[in-house]
Amino acid sequence: MVKQVAIIGAGVSGLTSIKGCLEEGLEPTCFERSDDIGGLWKFTTTVCSVTKRQDFTTTGQWDVVTETEGKRDTAVFDAIMICTGHYLNPHLPLESFPGINKFQGQILHSQEYRSPEGFQGKRVIVIGLGNTGGDIAVELSRVAEKVFLSTRSGAWVDSRLSDHGYPSHMIQTTRFLHLVARSLPSAIMNWMGKRRTSKWFNHKNYGLSIPKGRQQRRVANDELPSYILCGAVTVKINVKEFTETSAIFEDGTVENIDVVFFATGYTYSFPFLEEPMEKFCKNKIFIYKYIFPSNLEKATLALIGHVGLQGSIIVGTELQARLAARVFKGLCKIPPSNKMMAEATKKEQLIRRGVIKDPTQVKQNYITYLDDLATCMGVKPNILLLFFKDPRLAKEVFFGPCTSYQYRLMGPGKWDGARKAIMTQWDRTLKPLQTRVIPDYPEPTSISHWLKVWGAPILFVAVLLTYKSSLHLQLTRLTEVGERISTYLANTMRK
């Protein structure tokens, strides 16, 4: 019986994992190597190793070795939740840039960036156009002499604001739009996305458009287009090589550089796991639901927050933690190890043969993934049932943003306050913005108001007049024809 759970990492995933364990009556202990988060945690504690016990096949237990202020300790846990996230090991592809070793300026990874202070008057190049690269380029351009943003493939830049200024991620992550997207071919959806984004600004004019055949990438940045427009940020092609003081680009241009920022992402790392377990966990194809390694006889190890989502990762980690806790406790079942391994191996072979695309290389569809986890636990909202029982709530669940409250309406972990939270979520979203109270003065009657009131009667009269005018014209023409026939007959009789 699982009782003691070790949680590695006290970030967003760790916090939700603690909550998920406590809800199921488990006893979590969270290890965090830094000292800026608290709770039922062990501060400044580094997890050195996590290994199976000798009787793992029967108990599923783990030995966890930790170090605190130079002192090592070993404890036994019934289950492990790894919550170290995506951003542990920076990816520095120095081998892809000839001459970088002789560059005399600063070489930094985006993980090291804290603020633009210290870069005043510098000539900086940011390599990599993602959310991080775009944000750093914009911030540095406010103090640096010049900022170059180097991108190999470009990106579609989206605003964080949707129509009428609402947060775009709340407007776009609705069940209604999800249903529409699933009903249309991906080519049409991509075309609609490009057209919507291009209405904001022409990406080709700004050097940001994606070459044909390259993978579509989207970046959220409201300021980047403006900073490119005013010359504060200059978009450049990929760097061909570096010299001691400059960067030579693939188009042949050369720019003097003082600082290089690599916004090139991160690599997965589980340094506390022994081989081959670490290597196995890095291969997401073999991670069931992106949570459970398929090769374990006992499902007592869970990866929380190691999935890329097209929406809020916080909602995803909460559902992952809830499912993991219930699997640990035996309340939810997952397939046996041999079946999961067989399915993963078959999928890997199909990917290598090019029959299917590797799903682990792209972010998972937000609602599809969440509903998949929720179905395993029996907490997916029944929209049809809600429409009969509570139409107002059903409307908000279907047409409103898919927030975590939806997965607290029914089933295990049901929360009595979920309905109210859903019905008032827009109030809480807008509350921080409404810092200036504006009286509700009666607005002057608009043209649209008069059109609504008199539009139908005016249209009816216009149609009636048109009909009468047409009828009168037809009668006139008939009269003229009749007169011509009478004249013809009279002339004929005279002859």
Side-chain angles (χ1 to χ4, degrees), residues 30 62 213 337 358 408 414 435 458-459 477:
C30 185
W62 302 80
S337 175
D358 187 351
R408 294 287 183 175
K414 179 181 177 181
T435 55
I458 291 172
L459 181 63
R477 289 178 177 176

Side-chain angles (χ1 to χ4, degrees), residues 29-72:
T29 300
C30 185
F31 299 98
E32 171 56 46
R33 62 181 181 178
S34 64
D35 60 357
D36 56 353
I37 291 289
L40 192 62
W41 292 258
K42 292 194 175 182
F43 296 117
T44 59
T45 299
T46 301
V47 175
C48 303
S49 68
V50 176
T51 55
K52 298 178 185 177
R53 303 206 80 201
Q54 290 185 348
D55 56 354
F56 179 84
T57 53
T58 55
T59 65
Q61 291 182 326
W62 302 80
D63 284 322
V64 178
V65 178
T66 59
E67 183 176 320
T68 307
E69 297 180 350
K71 183 181 178 181
R72 291 210 167 196

Side-chain angles (χ1 to χ4, degrees), residues 330-362:
L331 300 175
C332 284
K333 301 294 183 182
I334 64 173
S337 175
N338 58 352
K339 185 176 180 180
M340 291 190 293
M341 284 292 293
E343 290 179 356
T345 301
K346 182 179 179 181
K347 183 183 291 186
E348 186 181 46
Q349 291 172 350
L350 292 175
I351 293 171
R352 287 178 178 176
R353 288 162 48 193
V355 177
I356 62 173
K357 293 182 179 180
D358 187 351
T360 67
Q361 298 302 311
V362 295

Side-chain angles (χ1 to χ4, degrees), residues 5 7 9-31 37-41 81 83 304 321 325:
V5 181
I7 298 174
V12 169
S13 301
L15 295 176
T16 52
S17 295
I18 293 170
K19 180 172 180 286
C21 287
L22 293 175
E23 285 180 343
E24 296 298 340
L26 304 177
E27 297 179 7
T29 300
C30 185
F31 299 98
I37 291 289
L40 192 62
W41 292 258
M81 300 175 85
C83 307
I304 309 297

Side-chain angles (χ1 to χ4, degrees), residues 125-129 133-134 137 147-151 224 233-236:
I125 179 171
V126 180
I127 297 178
L129 175 53
V147 173
F148 301 97
L149 180 57
S150 173
T151 174
L224 183 59
V233 175
T234 301
V235 179
K236 300 289 289 186

